[in-house]
Amino acid sequence: MPRISQARDLETLQQHFVAKRERVKTTIVICGGTGCQASRSGSVIDAVRAALAREGLQQDVSVRVTGCHGFCEQGPIMVFEPGNLFYCHVTPADAQDIVSRTVKKGEVLDKFLYRDPVSGRTITKEADIPFYSAQGRQLLNFNKLVDACSIEDYIAIGGYRAVAKAIKEFKPEAIIAEVKASGLRGRGGAGFPTGRKWQEAHEAPGDEKYVICNADEGDPGAYMDRCLLEANPHQVLEGMMIGAYAVGANKGYIYVRREYPLAVKHARIAIQQAREYGLLGENILGSNFSFDVEIARGGGAFVCGESTALMTSIEGKVGEPRAKDVHTVKEGLWGRPTVLNNVETWANVPSIILNGAKWFASRGTDTSKGTKILALTGQVKNTGLVEVPMGTTLRAIVYDIGGGPKNGHSIKAVQTGGPSGGCLPERLFDLPVDFDALWEAGSMMGSGGLVVMDDKTCMVDVARYFLTFLLDESCGKCVPCREGIDRMLEIVTDIAEGRGRPEQLDLLQELAETVAEASLCGLGKSAPNPVLSTLRYFMDEYKAHVLERRCPAAVCKALIAYAIDPEKCTGCGVCLKACPHDSITGEKKKPHVINEALCQRCGICIGECKFDAITVR
Amino acid sequence: MAKINLDSILEGRRSQPHMLIEVLLDLQDQEGYLPEEALKTVSKELGVPLVDVYRVARFYKAFSLKPRGKNVITICTGTACHVRGSHLLVNQVRGQLNIEPGDTTPDGQFTVECVNCLGACALGPIVVHNGSYCDHMTPGKLRKKIDKAAGKKKEAQDA
């Protein structure tokens, strides 16, 4: 095992690994991220390797299993290098065909090409697919260049050069100045200036300091942190190393959700490899700097995204937050100065050191610099991970990158920032995505989840959804959060179930404002956002529920009724069999009927009916 | 009940109270839940009062104090899955298995759980069956999956 004991060793090693990669004629890059694994990329990888072996091509063709490419909806995804040929929806049965025709003969197989849902044309190269070409990828670009479990790959693309440069050329103060000048703000949600946080920790008295990487990512609908850590754990480690050197920490923790087993595994492998290469441990790169990292798995508690709760959790205790009268940069983990940054924040650091603050700050808006990774999900054609320069409009993201609405529906809103964020209506889609613009509009960047909602989504139901989530996740330590969320949920439930009274709308508003003001930690302070933003922008839907006892999107169970369209029903009996409540009756080949008294409006029959005969009103 | 092998889990972690969550996670992975006897041992070996062990076990969602079924069906109810109809999947299992999320069928065959996000949002709604991910689920697909899991069990017993 080569040990890197000085910057020059790293250069030699990089040259060696690059030469090794250049000897390979063709590389098949296959996505092995959680998304593609869910669509069985693991078997595709095995089948491709077996086919290469059958053709005797193992020497000339290498298979690189990488982390997420971001275009999860199209998985499993395959890219061929050189040439950038892009295949999607590949199955194990296709492997032989792909190897013998595409790899051996250079044939482009039409059936695996991506078909643009907007223009209907097939596209050959990854770079030409609008989903990719409309982005500005800075961090995610590395994903397909490296095998997450290979430190060789990371070193080959220039990995760990930033930390070598930092240690050799910079004093800690100079690194902090560089990060400050870059304008990097915390990607976890609140957007606190990273350089300032580092400086405060650097100045805090004490010999023992810590850096923590927050990979808890409890926001439903966001998964960029999982992808980065899964795909390129060395980059996150390198960022942490630079941060630790800057603030004077010798120990780091990666706090990662247990729901992300692949991220845990890859981070563990990366730490082990970095130790073996001497990049973690004593006297890193021949300097006086010593640093090591450990992994702490989360136990599944949303409130542990709150810094003080997260630190208590690393200490092995119940993850309750505390008031931040003393900041964690002064008294954090075990009462010592601690810098906590999110995965994406850490991953941005190496490039800033390597390319300079100016390079980083050249993209983005006045107050939000660089790019932001967003998880684009919901009712849009192209879902996946998107990385755009800050300031890109919601419209460009939803329509140009996301390809617009699915199945002929119309897009009504986009929910940003998870349970801490809010719903923004279509008329505000020209807002730039940056920390401050979203905040002013009553929403939040949060960790960057964008859930697109169409006319089938009920905004009262969305508010109810988030309140249910937050009630479940509130740690219960402070009264405003514990009681306030419960009472808000009570009111929203009344409205959704047809018992709403007009005066409750004012009460809901007042309650939400109080919870926001009086809660102890960020969970409670931001919990009312989904309510406040839907009240602000979708009052008409609330009013329809309260005044007309009607759910315009036909979602709220108490206010809708199911029926079978006798014109369309063929009497096939599928719905009858599927209905768990025995509410459907009818003879074979004759139109069936739903008994409204028995119907639980569970919606199962809709999913089962092949003739579109079930109507909801 | 098979003897619980706590030694390997506790190795290198004894007398380190901050390792409590890691130990419990490993125990949960091994046993499927947290058996009472094991918690007493953990309390003693790590030096954490039993009441605190229980507080932690109750606070974090990862832990179950009750044994779970042979088939664990986890339905993701994150926002992205919710807007794509994951609530219909919850309704489906409620109707089919007659249990609420978090519960196990009386015959010990199925446990149904909901989680708040699995981070595979682009492929929603997502259901995890004993650790393997199933994308773009519909109530119908889920019903067949449960039928198949129940049927397979029967065949194995018959054989």
Side-chain angles (χ1 to χ4, degrees):
Chain A
M1 186 59 59
R3 276 188 73 84
I4 301 170
S5 48
Q6 50 179 322
R8 206 184 303 145
D9 296 348
L10 189 68
E11 280 167 37
T12 318
L13 212 54
Q14 185 189 0
Q15 285 160 7
H16 172 71
F17 292 147
V18 168
K20 203 169 147 188
R21 275 165 77 120
E22 278 169 356
R23 282 197 290 274
V24 176
K25 281 186 196 139
T26 310
T27 305
I28 310 175
V29 185
I30 308 178
C31 179
T34 297
C36 278
Q37 275 196 7
S39 39
R40 287 160 284 283
S41 75
S43 331
V44 172
I45 293 161
D46 293 343
V48 167
R49 287 208 168 111
L52 287 173
R54 274 195 298 275
E55 300 281 343
L57 289 169
Q58 311 97 300
Q59 297 300 320
D60 299 333
V61 181
S62 81
V63 175
R64 187 189 305 139
V65 179
T66 70
C68 186
H69 294 207
F71 208 179
C72 312
E73 183 102 46
Q74 300 295 323
I77 286 172
M78 205 179 258
V79 182
F80 298 84
E81 284 176 3
N84 202 231
L85 174 64
F86 179 91
Y87 280 0
C88 51
H89 295 301
V90 179
T91 70
D94 302 322
Q96 184 60 45
D97 237 17
I98 289 172
V99 168
S100 51
R101 294 172 66 189
T102 301
V103 177
K104 255 181 128 173
K105 297 184 197 151
E107 259 181 78
V108 174
L109 303 175
D110 204 53
K111 76 173 203 187
F112 303 120
L113 293 181
Y114 172 73
R115 191 173 290 275
D116 182 34
V118 182
S119 67
R121 284 179 309 139
T122 53
I123 298 172
T124 317
K125 287 188 177 184
E126 184 199 64
D128 296 333
I129 295 172
F131 175 80
Y132 289 111
S133 62
Q135 299 185 34
R137 293 179 155 215
Q138 218 159 266
L139 286 172
L140 288 178
N141 252 354
F142 293 116
N143 284 11
K144 63 179 186 191
L145 299 178
V146 296
D147 173 342
C149 302
S150 163
I151 192 171
E152 284 192 13
D153 272 0
Y154 186 63
I155 291 175
I157 65 161
Y160 292 111
R161 269 176 47 214
V163 70
K165 183 180 173 187
I167 294 175
K168 200 173 161 197
E169 296 174 19
F170 289 81
K171 285 211 155 53
E173 292 81 0
I175 292 177
I176 292 169
E178 194 72 13
V179 173
K180 268 188 175 172
S182 76
L184 176 66
R185 292 170 69 175
R187 298 307 199 234
F192 191 82
T194 307
R196 216 165 91 201
K197 193 186 262 187
W198 289 17
Q199 176 155 27
E200 284 172 25
H202 174 79
E203 286 166 358
D207 296 334
E208 193 78 13
K209 296 180 185 179
Y210 300 102
V211 291
I212 299 174
C213 170
N214 179 0
D216 193 45
E217 198 168 51
D219 266 21
Y223 61 105
M224 59 290 292
D225 292 346
R226 168 176 76 62
C227 279
L228 276 177
L229 195 57
E230 235 174 58
N232 201 356
H234 286 288
Q235 192 174 12
V236 179
L237 269 186
E238 191 180 0
M240 290 176 76
M241 290 165 74
I242 296 167
Y245 173 72
V247 303
N250 297 115
K251 177 99 201 187
Y253 288 88
I254 300 178
Y255 187 85
V256 53
R257 289 184 83 185
R258 70 174 280 284
E259 286 91 338
Y260 291 174
L262 199 62
V264 174
K265 183 179 159 200
H266 287 180
R268 278 198 178 132
I269 293 172
I271 290 171
Q272 193 51 39
Q273 287 173 338
R275 281 182 191 150
E276 282 164 8
Y277 275 74
L279 291 165
L280 284 178
E282 304 285 315
N283 303 105
I284 292 164
L285 293 156
S287 71
N288 291 328
F289 172 55
S290 299
F291 180 64
D292 204 357
V293 175
E294 246 182 74
I295 288 190
R297 282 174 296 168
F302 180 66
V303 71
C304 287
E306 179 70 25
S307 60
T308 53
L310 188 152
M311 290 174 199
T312 326
S313 182
I314 293 181
E315 293 169 14
K317 298 177 196 148
V318 165
E320 281 176 353
R322 62 159 173 82
K324 279 196 205 162
D325 39 2
V326 183
H327 289 290
T328 50
V329 282
K330 295 200 175 76
E331 280 179 34
L333 189 60
W334 285 300
R336 292 171 182 141
T338 306
V339 165
L340 181 137
N341 282 131
N342 148 284
V343 175
E344 196 183 334
T345 317
W346 288 121
N348 266 306
V349 171
S351 312
I352 292 174
I353 298 301
L354 219 47
N355 305 325
K358 271 207 185 104
W359 167 84
F360 185 81
S362 69
R363 303 176 95 177
T365 62
D366 281 351
T367 56
S368 304
K369 299 295 183 192
T371 61
K372 177 77 189 95
I373 305 179
L374 305 161
L376 183 63
T377 61
Q379 307 294 8
V380 67
K381 283 193 186 105
N382 304 327
T383 57
L385 277 195
V386 169
E387 185 180 352
V388 289
M390 294 268 196
T392 308
T393 64
L394 286 168
R395 195 175 303 283
I397 295 164
V398 172
Y399 289 92
D400 299 346
I401 300 172
K406 285 168 81 167
N407 312 327
H409 288 273
S410 62
I411 289 173
K412 173 155 80 179
V414 57
Q415 205 279 341
T416 78
S420 317
C423 297
L424 300 173
E426 213 264 349
R427 67 186 156 85
L428 291 183
F429 277 14
D430 290 317
L431 270 180
V433 171
D434 80 2
F435 289 107
D436 308 299
L438 291 180
W439 179 254
E440 279 157 27
S443 187
M444 242 176 107
M445 178 81 85
S447 58
L450 285 187
V451 186
V452 179
M453 299 171 170
D454 65 11
D455 47 18
K456 284 187 304 179
T457 312
C458 168
M459 302 319 273
V460 176
D461 177 68
V462 168
R464 178 152 101 148
Y465 167 81
F466 281 114
L467 288 170
T468 311
F469 173 88
L470 290 160
L471 179 68
D472 196 33
E473 294 289 354
S474 166
C475 76
K477 188 176 179 180
C478 76
V479 180
C481 176
R482 185 179 67 225
E483 292 298 322
I485 294 174
D486 206 2
R487 298 288 79 79
M488 285 194 282
L489 178 59
E490 209 169 70
I491 296 173
V492 173
T493 304
D494 276 352
I495 295 171
E497 294 183 353
R499 294 183 301 271
R501 298 184 308 275
E503 65 272 21
Q504 278 182 309
L505 292 173
D506 297 331
L507 180 62
L508 185 60
Q509 175 86 28
E510 199 186 321
L511 200 52
E513 284 164 4
T514 310
V515 173
E517 207 165 303
S519 291
L520 172 72
C521 82
L523 188 152
K525 282 187 204 301
S526 61
N529 284 353
V531 172
L532 287 169
S533 64
T534 46
L535 280 173
R536 179 165 162 192
Y537 296 119
F538 299 95
M539 186 49 103
D540 52 332
E541 285 192 41
Y542 278 94
K543 283 189 173 157
H545 283 73
V546 174
L547 304 176
E548 300 165 40
R549 303 277 183 247
R550 185 173 67 85
C551 174
V555 170
C556 293
K557 273 189 186 186
L559 304 176
I560 56 172
Y562 279 62
I564 296 176
D565 183 347
E567 302 274 299
K568 287 183 179 166
C569 180
T570 64
C572 70
V574 166
C575 60
L576 189 149
K577 254 187 264 162
C579 176
H581 314 290
D582 298 323
S583 65
I584 299 178
T585 49
E587 283 174 45
K588 268 216 153 161
K589 298 195 176 165
K590 284 185 184 161
H592 289 11
V593 183
I594 294 181
N595 180 341
E596 233 181 271
L598 292 176
C599 176
Q600 304 287 309
R601 299 163 195 94
C602 66
I604 288 169
C605 51
I606 296 186
E608 299 277 327
C609 180
K610 290 193 177 65
F611 306 98
D612 215 9
I614 318 263
T615 58
V616 189
R617 65 184 152 77
Chain B
M1 198 171 63
K3 196 184 170 303
I4 296 164
N5 183 13
L6 259 176
D7 277 354
S8 62
I9 293 177
L10 286 168
E11 204 184 302
R13 291 164 168 172
R14 288 190 170 83
S15 308
Q16 297 179 53
H18 74 278
M19 280 294 172
L20 177 62
I21 295 168
E22 285 289 314
V23 166
L24 294 184
L25 284 170
D26 285 345
L27 182 63
Q28 170 88 27
D29 285 344
Q30 186 181 299
E31 299 298 315
Y33 78 111
L34 303 177
E36 191 182 332
E37 277 309 303
L39 292 185
K40 286 182 185 158
T41 314
V42 168
S43 159
K44 210 168 69 197
E45 295 283 350
L46 292 185
V48 179
L50 190 59
V51 61
D52 290 338
V53 173
Y54 268 95
R55 273 196 78 207
V56 166
R58 291 291 302 273
F59 182 81
Y60 293 99
K61 292 213 162 47
F63 303 125
S64 168
L65 293 165
K66 291 181 291 188
R68 298 194 298 168
K70 291 210 172 65
N71 291 285
V72 180
I73 308 267
T74 311
I75 303 172
C76 179
T77 50
T79 326
C81 288
H82 178 78
V83 302
R84 286 191 178 181
S86 67
H87 52 291
L88 300 180
L89 303 175
V90 179
N91 290 338
Q92 158 67 29
V93 289
R94 268 200 192 115
Q96 192 177 0
L97 296 173
N98 202 20
I99 51 170
E100 288 296 310
D103 289 346
T104 302
T105 51
D107 63 358
Q109 284 301 320
F110 290 95
T111 297
V112 175
E113 292 173 343
C114 291
V115 291
N116 285 329
C117 188
L118 288 162
C121 316
L123 300 164
I126 293 272
V127 167
V128 180
H129 176 218
N130 288 345
S132 71
Y133 283 62
C134 319
D135 60 305
H136 295 103
M137 281 307 275
T138 63
K141 271 159 89 176
L142 184 56
R143 180 165 56 89
K144 280 177 203 135
K145 182 168 274 300
I146 291 173
D147 279 345
K148 204 175 155 197
K152 257 192 185 158
K153 188 64 215 156
K154 255 181 218 157
E155 279 162 27
Q157 275 167 354
D158 294 344

